[in-house]
Amino acid sequence: MPITNWRISTLLTMKKVIEIQNIKRNFQVGDETVHALRGVSFNINEGEFVTIMGTSGSGKSTLLNILGCLDTPTSGEYLLDDIPVRTMSKPQRAVLRNRKIGFVFQSYNLLPKTTAVENVELPLMYNSAVSASERRRRAIESLQAVGLGDRLEHKSNQMSGGQMQRVAIARALVNNPAVILADEATGNLDSRTSFEILVLFQKLHAEGRTIIFVTHNPELSQYSSRNIRLRDGQVIEDTANPKILSAAEALAALPKNDED
Ligand SMILES: Nc1ncnc2c1ncn2[C@@H]1O[C@H](COP(=O)(O)OP(=O)(O)OP(=O)(O)O)[C@@H](O)[C@H]1O
Ligand SMILES: [Mg+2]
């Protein structure tokens, strides 16, 4: 069988970035054990744009915190870029997180009264191999990639919600991470700004980035390549999206004065 371009690109994109096996996470609250994750398994390949959905309390943030090495599972295995995370010490995990993960949160988590470029430089501060001038250069490049090349010196309180989230995405990108994790990244934004951020995530996906995007909004799943749905700490659906909608088209179709 001739090797087509499609097959070559498929083979090239088959590298596993995330591999989890039977992840469980219990929380002890007084006498009660909360089973937040009850045995979750999946692999995520390089270049996938995965939406994780589920109702409130289904375990989305718990899962994302584990994937982002902010938390460790009660049991189960986790390989991030082929590195076994479970057996690592806390400081080792912190280094791994800094090098491999870009985080985007609902509430942006920017330093207040700090400029966009300084916020984006932050993850590189922990990397002694990167000089101050290189750090500045990469932060500017990252801000340009999210369309904020003209807001470098704006402070967090001098920007809109959508702009702050772009700064947070630039900060997530600056380390060239293996995976970008977003927890309700559009949760605080109106629908027009949400679609603008979604356009940006689709652009990053088209450039080959691996993205895991947690949302409770099922509509947003139509813009990613794969959908995982959680219920009561278990995966109840894991499907490829056969028809990925264009966020740019959805944005163009929104009424101009939409302010909800
Ligand atoms: N630190 C904790 N201590 C005790 N219970 C917790 C803790 N974190 C999460 N839980 C519980 O674990 C379950 C899953 O919570 P999680 O935050 O992962 O849900 P979620 O899907 O992100 O919900 P939401 O859509 O509201 O953000 C919930 O029942 C929650 O109460
Ligand atoms: Mg949550």
Side-chain angles (χ1 to χ4, degrees):
M1 182 159 81
I3 295 183
T4 61
N5 284 342
W6 178 83
R7 280 192 64 215
I8 291 170
S9 66
T10 308
L11 291 171
L12 288 176
T13 54
M14 284 311 278
K15 184 187 180 314
K16 272 184 228 159
V17 179
I18 281 174
E19 196 172 349
I20 55 170
Q21 283 163 13
N22 204 17
I23 292 282
K24 296 182 182 168
R25 180 65 166 106
N26 299 337
F27 294 106
Q28 202 62 38
V29 184
D31 291 342
E32 198 199 341
T33 305
V34 178
H35 299 276
L37 297 174
R38 300 168 185 261
V40 174
S41 305
F42 54 69
N43 298 332
I44 292 178
N45 290 327
E46 195 166 52
E48 283 196 277
F49 181 3
V50 182
T51 313
I52 298 184
M53 284 171 299
T55 52
S56 182
S58 58
K60 305 182 297 296
S61 295
T62 304
L63 178 59
L64 210 69
N65 289 341
I66 289 172
L67 296 180
C69 305
L70 292 168
D71 186 25
T72 41
T74 307
S75 63
E77 289 298 330
Y78 175 22
L79 299 181
L80 170 59
D81 230 4
D82 295 326
I83 302 165
V85 179
R86 191 177 59 84
T87 50
M88 287 187 153
S89 68
K90 220 173 174 184
Q92 283 175 321
R93 267 192 288 126
V95 172
L96 188 70
R97 180 168 68 236
N98 181 254
R99 301 293 147 81
K100 297 280 182 190
I101 306 279
F103 257 111
V104 183
F105 299 95
Q106 176 170 2
S107 50
Y108 325 126
N109 291 14
L110 301 180
L111 291 182
K113 298 183 194 158
T114 305
T115 65
V117 75
E118 286 165 345
N119 265 291
V120 175
E121 281 186 10
L122 213 61
L124 297 175
M125 297 282 193
Y126 307 101
N127 190 339
S128 56
V130 180
S131 68
S133 59
E134 171 72 2
R135 198 161 66 215
R136 179 63 44 130
R137 190 190 66 72
R138 279 170 61 176
I140 293 171
E141 196 180 276
S142 205
L143 281 161
Q144 285 167 343
V146 300
L148 283 182
D150 58 348
R151 291 288 186 279
L152 301 178
E153 299 299 331
H154 274 59
K155 294 185 176 159
S156 307
N157 57 319
Q158 297 168 333
M159 284 182 285
S160 68
Q163 288 172 338
M164 284 194 276
Q165 196 56 301
R166 281 171 192 275
V167 174
I169 295 168
R171 184 184 55 189
L173 287 172
V174 77
N175 254 344
N176 195 23
V179 58
I180 297 171
L181 303 178
D183 196 354
E184 300 281 2
T186 59
N188 279 358
L189 304 172
D190 62 61
S191 60
R192 170 168 293 277
T193 315
S194 293
F195 275 108
E196 286 170 2
I197 294 298
L198 216 46
V199 169
L200 179 54
F201 276 110
Q202 283 196 329
K203 170 177 164 268
L204 297 173
H205 178 220
E207 290 166 3
R209 297 276 178 189
T210 310
I211 302 166
I212 304 181
F213 186 97
V214 163
T215 179
H216 65 267
N217 181 355
E219 194 198 338
L220 299 188
S221 68
Q222 302 176 89
Y223 300 89
S224 64
S225 63
R226 175 176 164 194
N227 307 139
I228 293 175
R229 189 184 296 272
L230 296 181
R231 184 188 290 156
D232 293 335
Q234 287 182 309
V235 174
I236 56 160
E237 182 192 330
D238 184 351
T239 47
N241 181 3
K243 187 173 181 294
I244 304 171
L245 297 187
S246 157
E249 281 176 22
L251 181 63
L254 283 179
K256 282 282 179 288
N257 58 354
D258 170 57
E259 295 201 321
D260 64 356

